[in-house]
Amino acid sequence: MNPQAKLIFVASLLLGTTITISSNHWIMAWAGLEINTLAILPLISKSHHPRSIEAATKYFLTQSAASALVLFSSMTNAWHTGQWDITQLSHPTSSLILTSAIAMKLGLVPFHFWFPEVLQGSPLSTGLLLSTIMKLPPITLLYMTSQSLNPTLLTTLAILSAAIGGWMGLNQTQIRKILAFSSISHLGWMAAVIVYNPKLTLLNFYLYTMMTATIFLALNSIKVVKLSSLMTAWTKIPSLNAMLLLTLLSLAGLPPLTGFLPKWLIIQELTKQEMIPTATLMSLLSLLSLFFYLRLAYCTTITLPPHTTNHMKQWRTGKPTNILIAILATMSVILLPISPMI
């Protein structure tokens, strides 16, 4: 892709995200979501492969339907209350429609079918944007309307997302699909607590973004998209694979790594809200996700013959991307152990 065109699309992506997260009016928020959708489509289909075109089409149709539901929800609320302010979502029907629309945009169960297919058809760099930046505007809308949302509906979506995200990721061999189901599972944890402690949801999202960015950048650096390729990646760049191993374990939520912190706090908050069965069920369902995280981590530590490393590019610590990966990986691993000192 032309560098100037890529710059325009990335700038439009940042503009749409900024408009949505900083707006108080529903029309402005909707416009930001539409700019985001239009900006990411060329980045998904830039390889001109049939799978990429299919992924872009699925993404466009899904996001267009979700944006239409957001607009319909805001119009219904304005019709009954006379308010276009995002924080004044008080009509029950509007709240229900908005929750469904945001669930569709994020890829929460049962609106998750598009996300693994779109991520599989996208390049790793675009997959990073789809898994992180593109989820910030919908989560911001949930944050701003959290006082008006239905707790029972969100808890149901959260449990289903944690279950399906862990279950469907068990038999996958494509790393991008595994990361897609990982995202669905983590979104379930965020949805479970957003009504009771919205700031905790944002903390979970920020930590998830940091760990996912580390994994996508590392995989993009060693050009790996399948488990069979990951098995031979240890001989290419051992130091990068060591960081990838620790980040995967952190994303799995194993103590004392950083990824354990949000799950710990969410379980504590659910317990405070006297939702002990929900907290117990979410904890048990996270064991499903733990299985394929451990499988990914195991694949980064083994090698298959022949050990051909002559043609492979070695790790260079001076490259800006590699320095960024090292910084993100360090934060993805040690934030929880050093938090008492902070």
Side-chain angles (χ1 to χ4, degrees):
M1 179 183 287
N2 191 340
Q4 286 81 9
K6 185 181 292 187
L7 177 62
I8 291 174
F9 295 139
V10 173
S12 300
L13 195 62
L14 295 176
L15 175 64
T17 302
T18 305
I19 289 175
T20 301
I21 65 178
S22 61
S23 60
N24 289 320
H25 198 283
W26 277 113
I27 297 298
M28 290 297 294
W30 171 80
L33 293 174
E34 290 298 313
I35 292 173
N36 262 359
T37 301
L38 295 177
I40 198 71
L41 288 175
L43 298 178
I44 296 175
S45 59
K46 65 180 180 181
S47 64
H48 303 293
H49 190 273
R51 181 175 282 275
S52 299
I53 304 301
E54 179 187 355
T57 305
K58 288 180 178 178
Y59 185 81
F60 173 74
L61 294 175
T62 307
Q63 297 299 311
S64 298
S67 295
L69 284 177
V70 169
L71 195 58
F72 181 67
S73 168
S74 59
M75 290 175 64
T76 304
N77 186 69
W79 179 271
H80 287 279
T81 65
Q83 291 286 339
W84 283 95
D85 196 334
I86 293 178
T87 58
Q88 301 298 321
L89 185 72
S90 56
H91 194 260
T93 305
S94 300
S95 176
L96 180 64
I97 296 173
L98 179 74
T99 305
S100 303
I102 299 300
M104 189 182 297
K105 276 197 166 292
L106 289 173
L108 282 169
V109 176
F111 308 104
H112 67 287
F113 297 102
W114 64 273
F115 188 56
E117 298 297 327
V118 170
L119 207 63
Q120 177 62 27
S122 306
L124 282 170
S125 56
T126 308
L128 172 60
L129 296 176
L130 287 170
S131 301
T132 55
I133 294 179
M134 294 301 294
K135 295 189 182 300
L136 180 57
I139 286 181
T140 304
L141 291 179
L142 279 184
Y143 177 85
M144 296 175 70
T145 58
S146 58
Q147 302 300 320
S148 308
L149 301 178
N150 188 341
T152 306
L153 176 61
L154 281 172
T155 302
T156 304
L157 294 179
I159 293 174
L160 288 175
S161 297
I164 299 298
W167 188 18
M168 296 293 289
L170 293 177
N171 62 342
Q172 301 295 329
T173 58
Q174 297 289 332
I175 295 179
R176 282 172 292 186
K177 279 196 174 182
I178 293 176
L179 292 174
F181 287 114
S182 163
S183 175
I184 293 170
S185 178
H186 277 84
L187 285 170
W189 283 84
M190 298 179 207
V193 78
I194 190 160
V195 174
Y196 310 107
N197 194 340
K199 292 183 180 179
L200 188 52
T201 297
L202 288 185
L203 173 66
N204 194 349
F205 177 73
Y206 295 149
L207 294 179
Y208 165 76
T209 298
M210 183 174 60
M211 293 182 285
T212 302
T214 306
I215 292 174
F216 269 102
L217 291 173
L219 293 174
N220 193 38
S221 181
I222 57 180
K223 307 300 180 189
V224 168
V225 294
K226 293 187 295 184
L227 285 180
S228 56
S229 305
L230 189 61
M231 291 179 182
T232 59
W234 178 260
T235 54
K236 300 177 186 178
I237 310 172
S239 55
L240 180 59
N241 271 68
M243 287 189 282
L244 182 59
L245 167 65
L246 291 174
T247 308
L248 283 168
L249 295 178
S250 180
L251 192 62
L254 288 179
L257 304 177
T258 302
F260 178 62
L261 177 62
K263 291 188 177 180
W264 184 15
L265 295 176
I266 288 174
I267 291 173
Q268 185 180 13
E269 182 64 31
L270 291 176
T271 305
K272 287 180 182 178
Q273 300 294 332
E274 299 182 355
M275 299 176 63
I276 296 177
T278 303
T280 305
L281 187 56
M282 295 288 290
S283 303
L284 292 175
L285 291 174
S286 68
L287 296 178
L288 291 171
S289 304
L290 178 62
F291 178 81
F292 62 74
Y293 287 127
L294 291 178
R295 184 174 62 168
L296 277 174
Y298 174 71
C299 289
T300 63
T301 60
I302 64 174
T303 55
L304 297 177
H307 305 305
T308 53
T309 59
N310 329 0
H311 64 288
M312 299 312 301
K313 177 177 64 175
Q314 297 301 315
W315 176 261
R316 298 178 184 175
T317 54
K319 293 182 66 176
T321 305
N322 297 339
I323 294 174
L324 177 61
I325 295 173
I327 294 173
L328 289 175
T330 303
M331 296 177 64
S332 300
V333 171
I334 68 169
L335 277 186
L336 179 57
I338 68 171
S339 57
M341 293 184 292
I342 297 176

